[in-house]
Amino acid sequence: AQSVTQLGSHVSVSEGALVLLRCNYSSSVPPYLFWYVQYPNQGLQLLLKYTSAATLVKGINGFEAEFKKSETSFHLTKPSAHMSDAAEYFCAVSDRMGGGNQFYFGTGTSLTVIP
Amino acid sequence: GAGVSQSPRYKVAKRGQDVALRCDPISGHVSLFWYQQALGQGPEFLTYFQNEAQLDKSGLPSDRFFAERPEGSVSTLKIQRTQQEDSAVYLCASGTSGGFTDTQYFGPGTRLTVL
């Protein structure tokens, strides 16, 4: 079974600073990887996903993530934080092996942007 | 166009009551997913439909939980004899072509509180 770990349940950055949200997965075979964002009182929205094409994936709102097999990581970055980026971010993994059809989310990272 | 909608948005139930949570997916979407999100946690997979077929229900926590999608569109998640540990936000998501690698579009969720 897959699992995903998000280091840091809360991250604070200053407006204009680099955003780095960490995600590590456990799998012997590279899975599909996703980042979702959840704004207050709204549903989760897909930021980006990795499906074994380019290892650097660009998403919406200026976010990107890099798949690093050697580190089993899929960290989310944004060069310059905006106030509107304040939200909960979830990393997720989809099992592509053994007929598994499950989708695993991390516990989430709450991003605060300080003016 | 309209996104995924869920009703009710909030439900309070007394322990032992039965509840039914509704999900209206995006029109034409083949796949439909249910997740349970406890406070401060990431969503946990419950079950998955492709059209009217329930392909995976391995995440349902007990036989008190039942989901259906009889005509391949609207889905209902039913919880019988609710317990306090059932208190959570229940999320529904739909996708265009089926499968967990597909982008999932989430509804706003139903917050269930069991007293």
Side-chain angles (χ1 to χ4, degrees):
Chain A
Q2 298 281 359
S3 70
V4 58
T5 302
Q6 291 184 242
L7 294 177
S9 58
H10 293 88
V11 171
S12 294
V13 300
S14 297
E15 190 174 15
L18 171 72
V19 176
L20 171 61
L21 305 182
R22 300 179 184 274
C23 174
N24 288 86
Y25 66 92
S26 65
S27 173
S28 59
V29 176
Y32 294 125
L33 293 156
F34 305 77
W35 275 99
Y36 279 85
V37 61
Q38 186 175 33
Y39 298 102
N41 297 316
Q42 295 186 28
L44 281 81
Q45 178 183 8
L46 181 70
L47 280 176
L48 47 82
K49 65 180 179 181
Y50 167 76
T51 58
S52 77
T55 57
L56 182 61
V57 182
K58 294 187 182 299
I60 63 171
N61 301 337
F63 284 93
E64 61 182 36
E66 185 173 9
F67 171 70
K68 292 186 176 180
K69 182 179 178 181
S70 61
E71 299 177 5
T72 61
S73 69
F74 191 58
H75 301 332
L76 181 71
T77 61
K78 182 174 180 178
S80 176
H82 295 170
M83 295 299 297
S84 60
D85 294 328
E88 189 86 15
Y89 291 80
F90 292 95
C91 182
V93 59
S94 175
D95 187 356
R96 66 167 84 183
M97 291 296 295
N101 284 318
Q102 292 201 7
F103 202 81
Y104 302 90
F105 281 91
T107 53
T109 297
S110 177
L111 177 65
T112 299
V113 181
I114 303 167
Chain B
V4 178
S5 62
Q6 293 186 245
S7 61
R9 290 292 312 275
Y10 303 90
K11 177 69 178 178
V12 178
K14 292 183 178 179
R15 189 175 59 181
Q17 283 185 331
D18 298 348
V19 299
L21 313 180
R22 177 187 171 105
C23 173
D24 285 80
I26 294 172
S27 179
H29 275 195
V30 170
S31 56
L32 188 145
F33 309 82
W34 283 99
Y35 296 88
Q36 181 189 59
Q37 186 175 19
L39 188 63
Q41 300 295 316
E44 291 193 5
F45 168 80
L46 293 177
T47 187
Y48 158 60
F49 290 85
Q50 191 162 334
N51 295 308
E52 69 277 6
Q54 189 174 19
L55 298 187
D56 189 338
K57 56 181 181 179
S58 60
L60 297 176
S62 77
D63 58 6
R64 297 187 295 104
F65 287 72
F66 172 75
E68 60 182 5
R69 194 186 185 196
E71 298 180 357
S73 56
V74 172
S75 177
T76 304
L77 176 67
K78 298 179 180 179
I79 309 173
Q80 297 177 325
R81 305 180 304 281
T82 52
Q83 304 295 314
Q84 286 189 323
E85 61 263 30
D86 300 335
S87 296
V89 175
Y90 290 85
L91 299 171
C92 175
S94 67
T96 54
S97 58
F100 286 75
T101 60
D102 197 12
T103 297
Q104 296 180 46
Y105 297 84
F106 282 81
T110 294
R111 182 177 297 277
L112 173 65
T113 302
V114 181
L115 302 177

